[in-house]
Amino acid sequence: MDGERKAPRPLDGVRVIDLTWLQVGPQATRLLTTFGAQVIRVEWRDRKAIDFIRYTPPFAPDHARADGGRIQGVTRGHGIAGNYDRGAYFNNTNPGKYGITLNLNHPKGRDLLKRMVRDANAICENFSPGQMDKWGLGYEDLRKINPRIIYLQTTGMGKAGVYKDYVSYGPTAQAFSGLTFLSGLPEPQPPAGWGYSYLDHSPGYFGAIMLMAAIRRQRSSGIGCYIDMSQCETGLMLSGTSLLEHQITGKPTTRYGNRMPFLDWAPHGAYRCFGDDNWIAISIQSDEQWRSLVEEMGSPQWAMDSRFATAAGRKSHEDELDEKLASFTIGCDRYDLMRRLQVRGIPAGVVQKAPDRFDRDPQLKARGYYVDLPHSEIGTWPVEGFPARLSRSPADVGGPTGRAAPKLGEDNNFVYRELVGLGEAEIAELTREGVI
Amino acid sequence: MNEDLSLSSSLADLTVLEIGDQIGDYAGLLLAGLGAEVIKLEPPGGSPSRRIGPFASSAPDPERSLFFWRYNLNKKSAIVDVDRLEAQAAIEKLASQADIVLLAGEFEAVERRAETWRKLAEANPRLIVCSITPFGLDGPYRALKATDLVQMALGGIMAVCGYDPQPDGTYDTPPIAPAMWHSYHLAGEYAAVAMMAAINFRELTGQGQFIDLSVHEAVNTCTEVAIPTYVYSGMVVKRQTARHAAPNITHARLSTSADGVFMLANLSPFEREQRALAQLADQVGIGHVLGTPEFAQLEKEDRVAAAVYRNDLLVEVVGSLPANEIFHRAQAQGLAWSPIRRPEDNLDDPHFQARGSFAAIEHPELGRTLRYPGTVAIDGRTPHFSYQRRAPRLGEHTEEVMRRAGLDDARIAALRAKAAV
């Protein structure tokens, strides 16, 4: 609105040079744009240097265009480079960021980056360990240029330590730290693990927490820092009580499927409902809830069995209990059953798939969770939102750009001219030399 | 050089009051790891999270809950029944001195307390109040009952985790909620992000604010390609054993080492990785045709057969040596392979020892120390998140906290008599 002064954002005036790629680094910087930081994604056009996520399918359909909205449709081959600006996943991971191209293999490219570091608050990267040092752009190098700089480096194992040169992606870190093992049915069944790279996400959240703590300190005292962030250590942080239990009992950690070994809750699991691969999760926390469930089922003979009357009894006959309960749920519509159980105060929830969450979930709709953002080539598409409402400084996933992800090099003009202060001739020359 | 640039005391000027159940313990733990003073205000019977196992004792004991120990390091505990009128004077005083109040738990309890704390924030406009509830404070699901399992189901993580379908495409195994407590982990991490944003905002404006975090939404943010894939293409990803959910069922990936440990070992189509596999096969003396003109021909004529050959060779290589040996040899060839370790396999691993990844915490009641995870990042030498003190015993810091709230011995005794502190 005209004349209305925009409320300050928590990270107003914060500039972040973002050399990250794939998921774990971009996740951290995504959360900074959400609270107002100016995040400048630095990329290069070479096939070897380009963010793999830029050409990870699926892509926006052929008819998607800058002034269009979301309509699903056919995507034909645009070639890899033709898809750089059309990726669904990339668009969801990088909203609110500025995008520039800069060739760090060129000495002038590295000089230009150093020039940008002078005015930056933070720099983030998740290259293979040692890459930045090779370029002369490691923390100790950049600190000489800007002593206040905050440097976040995210790697699988961590930059310091015995395995500092080991290669690790999210799934590697999950396997190594124990998170893959912990997920799944009891042995001898194999682990089920994770259906995605959990450790490309949580370390990103940690990165954001630390960057914001560091920015606060930098604002008040001018001190920067180096953050050697390890995906594997994050995995250990997230391994629950398994490490402690092992130290107390000396026994190897076990898996327990969807059951709850730490409380006297039973039944506790996913039960099949009517339809194709439809499931409901039910957690019975007390005898009272159990009696309500029995009533809701119409008090069948099997459920009146005295063995099931107490938590201890249900726990010790859990296999049979699960089988019997499943024989009831299989005839039920999953959402109808969820409603009926919740009315009785029983924790129950449909195992929701993507269409359930995106098209149907009334809670996400009411809270405005998905956010529509424009993209300069493929038009307006929804991106995933921030899970909390802040009353005075609301999350804004569109960040300072108000856009979804940047096209490759989309903001070269704005960044090099307005922020870095390069002249017309200089830009032309650097372009000609293959630097920007 | 003895400068300490670690962030481990960067929040040392902040006081956080933590009220509620297990949903919020981890959020407080994160702030405590960065140096904030986190005071748990517990009801006389103790926080609900003290009742969660496993226990460091044969029978459940609120002072021996490993869940409570793990998620409440560095914190203080004061018995204050925040729902009792008698405690209101003390609470008002504490609110006037606090920076952040964390309200976690079921909707009804948090909504009621939020009302109180919103009023208290009028007297201390710098106060940040952060509520963490299963679904948020409004919307049609706000009062639904949830547990970690139910949140993982509704939030979408379960649907993408589990086992391969049968050959006909139908599933004979349920979706799996990866253990343990990840809905609360996600909520805690996002709550910490939101609180750090609010703290930064307060530095600029002097104003606190109210944060309404939904565990449901926190879980929803963390399913990677599931939503973008559906939104753009209409395709729904399918769960599969120990690998990424995808619209199609991809190659099975688990292999087993000579000592019976499952390995995460796979090959990308890159030439470099194929050469690495050939090297490994050579090292362990397994004959193969990788790198020969014969194999190049097969790749040209029948890509699927070539892929099957490579995969069979991989399985044979992995099966020829113990897991740790395969791990180091594969990594030496630049392959991102890993044994699927139990968490405790890392306790004595030299890498984590060198990094100081575990904090040794004294437990006088056990007469020993326990090693806790907690370091997720270091500044090159010292941890950014740092834990030194075991979780508090119930009410261990009541006196200290009550004195800070301006109560003298007589008033503390009077409140004690009414079981309000």
Side-chain angles (χ1 to χ4, degrees):
Chain A
M1 256 171 278
D2 282 344
E4 189 180 316
R5 212 172 70 87
K6 231 182 139 193
R9 318 266 309 121
L11 302 179
D12 268 350
V14 171
R15 187 176 298 169
V16 180
I17 298 176
D18 185 4
L19 303 175
T20 66
W21 61 321
L22 305 176
Q23 175 65 44
V24 70
Q27 177 69 65
T29 54
R30 186 193 206 261
L31 290 168
L32 297 194
T33 65
T34 295
F35 291 104
Q38 192 175 51
V39 172
I40 303 170
R41 251 190 91 89
V42 178
E43 301 179 85
W44 188 238
R45 297 175 183 285
D46 270 5
R47 175 69 190 286
K48 275 187 189 158
I50 201 120
D51 189 344
F52 173 74
I53 305 299
R54 275 203 179 271
Y55 56 94
T56 296
F59 305 104
D62 295 342
H63 53 66
R65 53 176 206 276
D67 59 352
R70 178 178 87 93
I71 310 170
Q72 288 169 346
V74 183
T75 307
R76 288 187 187 77
H78 294 261
I80 284 176
N83 277 325
Y84 285 169
D85 297 325
R86 306 183 69 82
Y89 180 35
F90 185 85
N91 203 26
N92 192 51
T93 303
N94 293 289
K97 302 176 187 178
Y98 293 92
I100 63 169
T101 47
L102 179 61
N103 183 0
L104 293 175
N105 281 318
H106 195 295
K108 284 192 178 176
R110 298 194 287 272
D111 285 345
L112 193 48
L113 189 86
K114 287 179 185 166
R115 188 163 159 182
M116 291 168 65
V117 165
R118 272 189 298 198
D119 304 319
N121 297 73
I123 183 163
C124 306
E125 55 111 339
N126 58 323
F127 291 118
S128 297
Q131 179 60 54
M132 289 290 274
D133 296 318
K134 268 183 228 159
W135 277 328
L137 298 171
Y139 174 61
E140 292 302 332
D141 302 303
L142 298 185
R143 197 182 172 190
K144 285 177 198 135
I145 300 163
N146 177 358
R148 300 161 50 100
I149 197 77
I150 298 159
Y151 187 117
L152 170 66
Q153 174 172 41
T154 309
T155 56
M157 292 285 177
K159 199 191 171 195
V162 183
Y163 309 147
K164 62 184 177 357
D165 298 321
Y166 280 20
V167 203
S168 171
Y169 303 103
T172 325
Q174 285 150 218
F176 197 69
S177 60
L179 295 190
T180 302
F181 178 88
L182 282 167
S183 169
L185 299 170
E187 292 170 278
Q189 295 292 328
W194 292 75
Y196 63 103
S197 293
Y198 184 45
L199 287 182
D200 278 341
H201 296 265
S202 283
Y205 313 146
F206 271 98
I209 295 164
M210 282 187 281
L211 285 168
M212 284 201 260
I215 287 164
R216 171 175 184 253
R217 181 172 72 177
Q218 183 190 56
R219 278 170 162 174
S220 67
S221 64
I223 298 173
C225 62
Y226 166 68
I227 303 169
D228 169 7
M229 173 89 210
S230 148
Q231 289 168 280
C232 281
E233 277 173 348
T234 311
L236 293 170
M237 182 81 170
L238 299 172
S239 62
T241 46
S242 55
L243 288 165
L244 296 184
E245 188 177 15
H246 172 78
Q247 290 175 79
I248 299 278
T249 66
K251 290 185 188 147
T253 294
T254 55
R255 280 189 292 275
Y256 44 84
N258 293 321
R259 290 185 179 166
M260 175 42 70
F262 308 127
L263 287 156
D264 58 357
W265 294 355
H268 193 276
Y271 303 91
R272 201 189 283 273
C273 293
F274 183 77
D276 178 22
D277 195 34
N278 285 338
W279 302 79
I280 190 169
I282 300 173
S283 301
I284 295 295
Q285 302 166 292
S286 63
D287 294 344
E288 192 192 340
Q289 287 180 0
W290 167 249
R291 286 192 295 270
S292 297
L293 173 62
V294 172
E295 255 181 60
E296 187 55 49
M297 291 190 292
S299 304
Q301 197 59 45
W302 69 262
M304 315 303 281
D305 190 328
S306 60
R307 290 176 306 156
F308 296 147
T310 65
R314 289 192 298 277
K315 272 282 194 205
S316 48
H317 302 93
E318 212 168 352
D319 286 342
E320 191 185 337
L321 182 66
D322 279 350
E323 204 176 298
K324 292 276 177 22
L325 179 54
S327 71
F328 164 74
T329 59
I330 188 70
C332 301
D333 174 84
R334 56 192 181 140
Y335 280 102
D336 183 53
L337 181 58
M338 171 179 161
R339 187 191 51 76
R340 284 159 57 196
L341 297 180
Q342 286 283 357
V343 163
R344 291 179 177 269
I346 295 170
V350 167
V351 176
Q352 296 201 107
K353 301 168 212 169
D356 304 323
R357 295 190 284 140
F358 186 78
D359 296 330
R360 170 164 187 160
D361 190 312
Q363 182 68 7
L364 296 179
K365 275 206 173 80
R367 303 257 304 173
Y369 170 68
Y370 296 105
V371 182
D372 280 341
L373 287 176
H375 180 284
S376 307
E377 175 158 327
I378 60 173
T380 297
W381 292 80
V383 301
E384 291 171 294
F386 186 80
R389 289 204 194 134
L390 287 79
S391 62
R392 287 215 166 90
S393 62
D396 174 11
V397 289
T401 69
R403 282 186 327 225
K407 290 164 57 178
L408 186 60
E410 176 162 5
D411 302 296
N412 277 355
N413 260 329
F414 170 71
V415 170
Y416 288 131
R417 244 178 267 247
E418 311 283 325
L419 301 186
V420 187
L422 297 184
E424 209 69 47
E426 217 172 344
I427 290 179
E429 194 189 327
L430 289 169
T431 308
R432 199 169 49 245
E433 289 176 317
V435 177
I436 65 177
Chain B
M1 205 162 55
N2 57 5
E3 55 176 353
D4 178 12
L5 297 182
S6 95
L7 295 166
S8 58
S9 58
S10 60
L11 305 185
D13 58 323
L14 300 181
T15 299
V16 181
L17 304 176
E18 191 187 292
I19 300 164
D21 70 12
Q22 61 273 10
I23 298 185
D25 283 14
Y26 181 61
L29 180 76
L30 295 177
L31 300 183
L34 293 173
E37 180 188 40
V38 180
I39 303 168
K40 271 182 106 74
L41 302 184
E42 303 192 57
S47 294
S49 51
R50 290 183 182 273
R51 295 193 278 277
I52 301 175
F55 294 91
S57 48
S58 45
D61 173 348
E63 295 294 5
R64 301 252 168 157
S65 154
L66 297 184
F67 181 98
F68 190 84
W69 283 6
R70 199 265 160 281
Y71 291 104
N72 292 285
L73 293 172
N74 281 16
K75 297 182 192 174
K76 294 179 178 173
S77 162
I79 297 177
V80 180
D81 194 338
V82 295
D83 299 327
R84 289 278 294 271
L85 220 55
E86 292 87 342
Q88 286 315 299
I91 286 168
E92 276 171 35
K93 184 76 180 187
L94 289 173
S96 71
Q97 298 167 344
D99 299 278
I100 297 175
V101 176
L102 201 53
L103 303 174
E106 294 194 340
F107 168 72
E108 289 83 0
V110 171
E111 191 195 37
R112 181 165 28 84
R113 290 171 188 156
E115 188 89 355
T116 308
W117 288 92
R118 277 193 166 109
K119 280 188 200 118
L120 292 171
E122 284 166 19
N124 174 11
R126 291 174 58 81
L127 189 66
I128 294 161
V129 182
C130 178
S131 90
I132 306 179
T133 54
F135 298 94
L137 292 175
D138 60 18
Y141 281 4
R142 67 187 180 282
L144 294 195
K145 298 283 180 248
T147 59
D148 182 46
L149 179 74
V150 168
Q151 306 258 218
M152 297 287 275
L154 286 168
I157 291 183
M158 272 185 94
V160 300
C161 299
Y163 294 93
D164 288 336
Q166 302 172 99
D168 70 355
T170 62
Y171 284 96
D172 58 350
T173 48
I176 294 288
M180 34 178 117
W181 309 113
H182 293 293
S183 70
Y184 305 154
H185 290 154
L186 288 163
E189 284 152 15
Y190 273 112
V193 169
M195 289 187 280
M196 289 314 304
I199 283 289
N200 272 287
F201 180 79
R202 193 179 78 168
E203 304 294 348
L204 297 181
T205 64
Q207 292 179 316
Q209 59 183 312
F210 192 91
I211 300 167
D212 166 13
L213 185 132
S214 152
V215 179
H216 182 49
E217 287 168 47
V219 176
N220 263 281
T221 64
C222 201
T223 59
E224 208 161 72
V225 300
I227 290 294
T229 297
Y230 173 68
V231 169
Y232 284 67
S233 73
M235 292 186 291
V236 180
V237 298
K238 297 182 177 121
R239 61 186 189 274
Q240 19 205 316
T241 309
R243 58 195 193 277
H244 280 44
N248 308 313
I249 302 301
T250 58
H251 283 295
R253 191 177 282 179
L254 286 180
S255 45
T256 313
S257 66
D259 54 346
V261 176
F262 283 112
M263 285 290 294
L264 183 91
N266 62 301
L267 281 187
S268 70
F270 295 120
E271 176 71 28
R272 185 179 60 76
E273 300 216 341
Q274 190 168 306
R275 278 202 306 273
L277 176 63
Q279 289 271 351
L280 282 180
D282 292 343
Q283 283 177 22
V284 296
I286 294 174
H288 64 88
V289 297
L290 291 185
T292 62
E294 187 189 343
F295 189 72
Q297 190 65 23
L298 180 66
E299 272 190 307
K300 238 181 251 163
E301 283 165 9
D302 190 345
R303 292 171 63 94
V304 174
V308 168
Y309 179 85
R310 265 195 306 263
N311 195 56
D312 288 350
L313 182 62
L314 179 151
V315 167
E316 202 181 339
V317 166
V318 168
S320 70
L321 290 172
N324 276 335
E325 198 169 340
I326 283 288
F327 170 55
H328 295 300
R329 282 179 187 250
Q331 285 284 351
Q333 299 295 334
L335 293 171
W337 293 4
S338 168
I340 295 179
R341 287 186 164 184
R342 287 180 161 80
E344 63 266 24
D345 297 340
N346 292 301
L347 277 170
D348 296 317
D349 190 282
H351 177 71
F352 296 114
Q353 302 226 318
R355 285 178 65 83
S357 305
F358 298 105
I361 305 281
E362 291 288 343
H363 274 277
E365 65 284 344
L366 297 181
R368 62 176 287 194
T369 61
L370 288 175
R371 285 177 288 166
Y372 284 73
T375 297
V376 293
I378 59 178
D379 79 346
R381 289 167 300 269
T382 50
H384 284 296
F385 282 85
S386 175
Y387 296 95
Q388 306 87 31
R389 289 196 317 275
R390 60 150 175 73
R393 284 192 293 271
L394 177 58
E396 187 173 347
H397 307 90
T398 303
E399 296 250 348
E400 174 194 333
V401 172
M402 285 302 108
R403 271 180 225 294
R404 267 167 54 180
L407 273 65
D408 56 24
D409 289 349
R411 290 186 61 198
I412 295 174
L415 283 174
R416 265 214 182 114
K418 290 177 189 161
V421 305

